[in-house]
C-alpha cells in the first residue's frame, strides 16, 4: 500500500468511526478490479445517518484530495465516493 492510499484510508475510516459508522470494512481489491485499489464499506442506521457519514468522509480530506466522483442513490440510502485509489 502506498503512503497516500494509507493516509486516505486512515482519514476516511476515522471520519466514519467518528460518526458511529457500522461494520466498517476495508477491502484490498488490487488485482481483482481495475477501477480502484481499495474499497471501504460502511453501514448506517438511517438515510440521515448515512448522510452524516458521507459528509464527514467528504470533509475529512484537504481541498483537492476530496472525492472526484460522488453518486447518491435516489433515496439517499447509499452513496459512492470515489477518491480514485479508494472507493467508499
Amino acid at each position: 500500500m502506498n503512503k497516500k492510499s494509507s493516509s486516505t484510508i486512515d482519514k476516511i475510516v476515522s471520519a466514519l468511526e467518528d460518526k458511529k459508522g457500522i461494520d466498517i470494512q476495508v477491502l484490498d481489491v488490487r488485482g481483482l478490479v481495475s477501477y480502484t485499489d481499495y474499497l471501504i464499506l460502511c453501514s448506517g442506521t438511517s438515510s440521515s445517518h448515512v448522510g452524516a457519514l458521507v459528509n464527514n468522509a467528504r470533509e475529512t480530506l484537504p481541498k483537492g484530495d476530496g472525492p472526484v466522483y460522488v453518486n447518491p442513490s435516489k433515496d439517499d440510502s447509499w452513496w459512492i465516493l470515489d477518491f480514485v485509489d479508494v472507493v467508499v
Side-chain angles (χ1 to χ4, degrees), residues 13-75:
V13 168
S14 179
L16 296 173
E17 289 173 340
D18 287 348
K19 292 296 180 184
K20 309 296 186 221
I22 299 168
D23 196 26
I24 301 167
Q25 301 289 317
V26 178
L27 306 175
D28 182 345
V29 294
R30 293 175 291 181
L32 298 174
V33 299
S34 60
Y35 57 86
T36 194
D37 293 336
Y38 300 93
L39 292 174
I40 299 176
L41 306 175
C42 178
S43 296
T45 58
S46 64
S47 293
S48 59
H49 184 210
V50 170
L53 293 165
V54 166
N55 288 336
N56 214 37
R58 289 174 79 174
E59 294 170 0
T60 194
L61 297 172
K63 294 280 186 204
D65 287 338
V68 296
Y69 179 74
V70 177
N71 185 19
S73 64
K74 289 182 181 180
D75 64 357

Side-chain angles (χ1 to χ4, degrees), residues 35-36 66-71 80-88:
Y35 57 86
T36 194
V68 296
Y69 179 74
V70 177
N71 185 19
I80 297 171
L81 305 176
D82 186 350
F83 293 88
V84 181
D85 293 342
V86 178
V87 173
V88 180

